[in-house]
């Protein structure tokens, strides 16, 4: 017997779909409740605010992604030597594992992450650091080990350029895949864009 979808689940699923398609700022609570077929007051009852709803949507992914990434980074750190490409390769399996959250979980998560960065959702950064700060610190430490020649300031800028390139690749992904198919006869699935992106990101961080 199928599990009955709760009002909370309806809100999370509707919000996730709308946020991933049009961003956090452009999505109203009324749009979400209409899509979820619930009353407007249910958002405040179950989550308290739109910001809390956004955090709950991201939490479904972060609670799966972050522990998996932490494990991969810890395993990498046990090696005698590694490079930037090795660090970014640690993201592959954790991203792929998000398909257990939703069928197209990796693509949805990257889209949500892109809007969070582009729209400067400061509360999400605070939420992430509060709940997963240890993983973020480990990521920075591992990247510094792979790039001891870079100062903290250099790493700051390069990581933000990495985020910018990731956002562009995600937002422009459908158009890029269509162009690749039309001009080069190459069929690229949304999840395969990360395979194209990782070498580029690693090269950018490593650049002299």
């Amino acid at each position: 017997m199928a599990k009955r979808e709760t009002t909370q689940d309806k809100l999370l699923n509707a919000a996730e779909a709308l946020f991933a398609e049009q961003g956090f700022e452009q999505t109203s609570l009324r749009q979400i409740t209409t899509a979820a077929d619930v009353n407007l007051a249910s958002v405040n009852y179950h989550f308290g605010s739109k910001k809390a709803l956004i955090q709950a949507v991201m939490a479904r992914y972060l609670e799966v992604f972050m522990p998996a990434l932490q494990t991969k980074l810890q395993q990498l750190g046990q090696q005698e030597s590694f490079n930037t490409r090795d660090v970014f390769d640690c993201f592959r399996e954790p991203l792929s594992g998000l398909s257990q959250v939703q069928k197209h979980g990796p693509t949805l998560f990257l889209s949500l992450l892109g809007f969070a960065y582009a729209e400067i959702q400061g509360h999400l950064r605070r939420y992430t650091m509060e709940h997963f700060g240890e993983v973020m610190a480990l990521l920075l430490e591992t990247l510094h080990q792979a790039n001891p020649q870079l100062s903290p300031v250099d790493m700051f800028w390069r990581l933000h350029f990495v985020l910018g390139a990731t956002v562009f690749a995600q937002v422009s992904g459908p158009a890029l895949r269509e162009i690749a198919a039309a001009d080069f006869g190459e069929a690229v699935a949304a999840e395969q864009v990360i395979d194209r992106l990782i070498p580029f990101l690693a090269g950018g961080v490593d650049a002299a």
Side-chain angles (χ1 to χ4, degrees):
M1 184 176 178
K3 182 181 177 182
R4 185 171 177 270
E5 189 178 33
T6 65
T7 298
Q8 190 169 353
D9 287 335
K10 288 179 180 179
L11 285 167
L12 285 169
N13 291 332
E16 177 185 289
L18 288 166
F19 289 153
E21 180 182 353
Q22 57 192 34
F24 302 109
E25 293 180 357
Q26 296 301 314
T27 301
S28 69
L29 289 180
R30 188 168 296 280
Q31 285 177 302
I32 293 169
T33 54
T34 298
D37 193 25
V38 298
N39 63 62
L40 193 59
S42 61
V43 175
N44 285 330
Y45 178 78
H46 289 283
F47 299 99
S49 68
K50 182 179 178 180
K51 286 183 179 180
L53 175 58
I54 291 172
Q55 291 169 12
V57 167
M58 293 300 292
R60 296 205 291 187
Y61 290 97
L62 292 171
E63 288 170 1
V64 174
F65 176 78
M66 285 298 192
L69 177 61
Q70 183 176 31
T71 297
K72 285 294 180 182
L73 290 172
Q74 288 171 337
Q75 291 172 348
L76 181 64
Q78 293 173 2
Q79 298 182 14
E80 289 187 10
S81 64
F82 51 84
N83 57 33
T84 308
R85 174 68 181 271
D86 296 326
V87 178
F88 284 124
D89 277 337
C90 287
F91 284 78
R92 291 179 183 275
E93 285 189 29
L95 276 173
S96 178
L98 295 179
S99 57
Q100 66 182 280
V101 180
Q102 294 281 20
K103 182 179 179 181
H104 299 293
T107 301
L108 287 168
F109 175 66
L110 289 175
S111 182
L112 293 167
L113 199 62
F115 280 118
Y117 180 70
E119 296 177 2
I120 316 177
Q121 296 286 318
H123 68 97
L124 269 181
R125 183 182 187 280
R126 292 190 293 273
Y127 172 86
T128 302
M129 294 306 296
E130 180 181 344
H131 291 83
F132 306 103
E134 183 180 346
V135 185
M136 299 303 293
L138 177 60
L139 173 60
L140 278 174
E141 179 186 345
T142 308
L143 279 168
H144 277 298
Q145 286 181 292
N147 296 273
Q149 79 283 4
L150 294 180
S151 70
V153 173
D154 286 335
M155 184 64 75
F156 165 83
W157 283 108
R158 295 189 186 198
L159 283 180
H160 278 80
F161 293 150
V162 162
L163 283 170
T166 303
V167 170
F168 170 79
Q170 181 56 40
V171 172
S172 304
L176 291 173
R177 296 198 306 275
E178 286 181 13
I179 294 170
D183 291 359
F184 307 105
E186 182 182 60
V188 180
E191 290 78 7
Q192 293 176 310
V193 173
I194 195 71
D195 295 327
R196 299 279 186 178
L197 186 60
I198 283 178
F200 175 82
L201 299 180
V205 173
D206 287 341

